[in-house]
Amino acid sequence: MKKTLLILAAVLCTVCVTAQPKLQRDNIDELLKALTLEEKATLLVGGGWGSMAIGSMTASSERLVPGAAGTTRPISRLGIPMTVVADGPAGLRINPTRQGTDMTFYCTGFPVGTVMASTWNLPLVEKLTTAMGNEVKEYGVDVLLAPGQNLHRNPLCGRNFEYFSEDPLLSGKTSAAYVRGVQSNGVGVSIKHFAANSQEVNRLQNDSRINVRALRELYLKGFEIAVKEADPWTVMSSYNRLNGAFTQQRRDLLTTVLRDEWGFGGIVMTDWGNKEGTVDAVNAGNDLMEPGVDNEIERIVAGVKDGRISQEQLDLNVRRMLEYIVRTPRFQGYKFSNKPDLQAHAKLVREATPEGLVLLENNGVLPLKEVKKVALYGTGSYDFIAGGTGSGNVNKAYVRNLAEGFKANGIDVDADIQRWYEQYIPFKKTDLKNNAIGTDILLGNPVLPEMEISRGFIEKKAAETDFAVLTISRNAGEGADRRAADGDWTLTGQERQMLQTLADVYHAAGKKLVVVLNIGGVIETASWKQIPDAILLAWTPGQEGGLAVADVLCGEAYPSGKLPMTFPVSYLDIPSSYNFPFNYRGAGRDRNRTAVKDVDYTNYAEGIWVGYRYFATAGKPVSYPFGYGLGYTTFAYGKPVVKVDKSGKVTATVTVTNTGSAAGKEVVEVYVTAPDGGLVKPVYELKGFVKTKELKPGASETVTVTIDPYTLASFNEATSAWETAAGNYTVHFGASAADIRCTAAFKLAKPQSWPVHKVLLPAEPVKEIVVK
Ligand code: BGC
């Protein structure tokens, strides 16, 4: 008996020692008690470089996702699973093939961020990203590292194609729609790169020096809108410094502003690197170090042991990680199929893309009528660029080109020209690959120099074809900014010559020339835009690009995109061009050298004068204004009605009528001029917008935009408050920032203000240019 009791006691004791809680939705307090210090530190550090490396995993490792950017680490004894995070933003980025299986894992190449913003159609963006989020979930990924929503401070930032706009409201609203769509699938996003990551040159070290007003009104505003409106699961802190300190180590940014002021409830993860100040990052409220390196775990453990990290801070970050983990499909044991409906998504992308294409010029040639055969010039016509390079490059199954697009629309493509290009393109690609330097050719499609084509050949072909299309291509991406040089910002001599020759020859034959811009960012257009008969800005609109462009040119679909940024006359017209890397090539890795302007630090001396805020206020001519875009029809705006209620909420209404002879959709842009209230302000700023539904000729729609008083506020550095001035306001209803169709006035009787923390200040105020 005694012996039996002893055995029983021993068994019970073992159970007591080994009984571990397993993570559940509602036992996070218990888990916090069960986790050791090392385990807690482990949860704050990702699975490591190459944790998802190619090849090392086979199809049978079904919980893993080869090609994903990273993971969080599991703690198996407590039932805490690993979770998987993968890039974005133009679709999910994972490896398309795996060892040991013939199955493929391609993802849809969606329109890039700039195209999404060019639609000005938030429900459409949400629909696209709902499909994108479905791929995230069905391929077993928990968080999409997207959207990218840094502001287009300067058109030459190499990653602008991933980002939305030069305007924080358009950027924030588009981002919020994007987030809602992805997250409606029960997976998360990571809005990035927080914050002021406006250039690629020396991106790991560069210090963005910005006065607080510009920082709050422009560079933080889009994030603020997305956080408040869409509740992203995660935020990615950027690589760069902001006013002296790394963003990922700034408590004032990641806790005071993001959480205390905006109410963010998710986790913050670093961008992909290993910076020394891990302890500072933890204390800042940066919960997850990605991709994660073992020495970061050691640093956290040491920091807690020597008191630099408090137990409360550690537990807070770990709690947030656990709260994140229990939301994930992986934690919930979701059985992903690895078979999203790629065909349905391709169809959706083809239908949606025309809404992001911007018709810049049209002398009546578009949509094309009674044409049978096209002469298709430019490498992009056959090797269409779907998206930019770098981590934003999606492994899609195919990219549709213009030749396919025209054929799908029943138009013959001249076979001789096609054959020439199809021989030239692979040859030139190999040549480029063999001579590639640095990141120029990283993960994606490089731009090929055009081949020389003689006038005699063009003349011969002009006689055999009904019209010509010239596609001009540019590409850019992570790791390098674009260059204010020929072949990037401006056309090459060869492109100019080809454009002129094509125009001369086709015009002499009584035929037309259409230019398609297959580009990721703004280029110079003022010097040549009068040469062709039409210009369609296709951007880099995803895998169905060639079909969607041809659909639009042939009138199967109509373009209804508008520019989310300004196209200036000249690069040096842009205020930030004086404080942006100028054709800089080099990594800037030598930390001991004397700081180099625009490389080691960048003064945002233009302050709030970014994009149309500058051009419209200074009255400076532009090539194409912010918000500009033609359609195949015209719209008239009726008499606007603007009302303001007691709380200061403004309701702006106008009726838009299709006055042309084709169907179309109109984007109504609502700009507001505010009384100065003691601050210098832009002549007007975008405060709301809406896109009509499809309107047939003669049809009308009454659209309404509401604007709350906080949205009308400007930031006053002296009082550290958002302030909405009392006085007379003007609402401008615009078809672009330079095409105001009607205005209406309202008055706010009382000023309102929203004080915020006096944080994020530069060491010295940045000396700003004066515009007004
Ligand atoms: C990029 C991020 C990306 C991450 C993971 C970084 O270099 O800046 O945008 O999400 O890599 O691939």
Side-chain angles (χ1 to χ4, degrees), residues 410-486:
I411 293 186
D412 274 353
V413 174
D414 185 279
D416 292 337
I417 307 176
Q418 180 161 5
R419 209 163 29 244
W420 273 54
Y421 275 101
E422 284 178 351
Q423 282 173 7
Y424 170 80
I425 289 167
F427 173 78
K428 202 68 207 171
K429 273 193 176 167
T430 313
D431 188 36
L432 275 187
K433 212 177 252 164
N434 292 342
N435 296 306
I437 29 163
T439 53
D440 283 1
I441 211 159
L442 174 88
L443 309 171
N445 215 355
V447 168
L448 302 174
E450 286 303 336
M451 73 177 167
E452 219 145 314
I453 298 180
S454 73
R455 188 182 175 106
F457 180 82
I458 292 174
E459 277 169 349
K460 179 170 172 291
K461 286 296 154 191
E464 297 166 15
T465 52
D466 301 314
F467 69 107
V469 170
L470 171 62
T471 301
I472 292 172
S473 309
R474 294 286 183 274
N475 208 354
E478 190 174 349
D481 290 313
R482 294 175 48 212
R483 290 166 305 126
D486 276 1

Side-chain angles (χ1 to χ4, degrees), residues 69 87 145 159 192-193 203 236 239 271-272 391 478:
D87 283 304
L145 303 172
R159 292 185 85 171
K192 67 190 187 183
H193 309 87
R203 64 181 178 147
M236 188 189 292
Y239 284 130
D271 199 344
W272 265 232
S391 61
E478 190 174 349

